[in-house]
Amino acid sequence: MAVLNVLEYPDPALREATSEVSEFGDELKKLVTDMWETMYLSKGVGLAAPQVGRPLKLFVADWEGNRRVVANPRIIEAEGTERGDEGCLSFPGVFEGVSRPARIRIIYSDENGERHDETAEGYLARVFSHETDHLNGKLLIDNLSALKRAFIRKKMSKKSRS
Ligand code: NI
């Protein structure tokens, strides 16, 4: 097991296009194990492969014991809107209110290549939606107002210089 380096905004790798996971073998399982270790150490509830410099459609999430390995997700239904505070390991210290669907239906493969069709609500739906955004190069900051975006950009660029 190894703790991976979590890339922080504005690292350009966070915006890169990602590839589908096609091999569900030992290499993937090792990456997943390392992502779990990294996520728990950072006290996160989700971590996407692009955040550790791997441009793959893959994330791990654990919200209140709902532990998921999600590869190649597709959100096929979304209902309602719920506003709630959100953080991201690529934006340390940032917590902002973001509107997300209240309920989603998501299809994906787990680390063994088994297909899942899951309906999630509330914060779990928020985590799935946030992490799926990462796989499309979309970040927390993109969901905020122009004013908040400018503020966070400034804060993060100061941090990366120090
Ligand atoms: Ni994130």
Side-chain angles (χ1 to χ4, degrees):
M1 296 209 291
V3 174
L4 306 169
N5 179 39
V6 178
L7 305 177
E8 293 181 4
Y9 181 86
D11 195 305
L14 295 168
R15 297 292 193 186
E16 260 175 41
T18 55
S19 312
E20 295 261 319
V21 174
S22 53
E23 303 272 339
F24 293 87
D26 289 347
E27 203 181 318
L28 179 71
K29 287 186 181 79
K30 185 187 180 304
L31 175 61
V32 165
T33 303
D34 291 348
M35 285 172 67
W36 280 130
E37 195 180 1
T38 306
M39 189 194 89
Y40 288 124
L41 187 77
S42 318
K43 299 193 179 353
V45 296
L47 180 68
Q51 291 180 279
V52 291
R54 299 289 299 269
L56 280 175
K57 295 197 188 299
L58 172 72
F59 68 78
V60 295
D62 183 350
W63 175 247
E64 293 186 332
N66 295 291
R67 226 170 109 92
R68 303 284 188 273
V69 175
V70 174
N72 308 332
R74 274 207 300 134
I75 293 174
I76 55 169
E77 285 172 31
E79 260 180 33
T81 312
E82 218 168 73
R83 205 172 163 76
D85 278 350
E86 237 172 69
C88 178
L89 294 178
S90 296
F91 293 85
V94 174
F95 290 93
E96 293 290 343
V98 176
S99 291
R100 297 276 185 190
R103 182 183 155 277
I104 61 159
R105 188 175 159 205
I106 184 171
I107 52 174
Y108 61 92
S109 298
D110 63 23
E111 72 270 45
N112 300 310
E114 267 171 52
R115 301 292 291 162
H116 295 262
D117 179 334
E118 181 171 357
T119 299
E121 293 183 349
Y123 209 86
L124 187 61
R126 175 174 300 279
V127 174
F128 284 158
S129 167
H130 176 115
E131 300 307 329
T132 301
D133 273 358
H134 272 297
L135 311 185
N136 298 313
K138 193 174 173 190
L139 301 171
L140 175 62
I141 194 168
D142 303 333
N143 293 304
L144 304 177
S145 70
L147 191 69
K148 286 248 168 79
R149 274 205 300 275
F151 177 77
I152 291 169
R153 267 199 208 107
K154 207 168 150 189
K155 180 172 158 171
M156 296 294 298
S157 69
K158 261 185 201 152
K159 198 171 168 285
S160 61
R161 277 202 306 272
S162 62

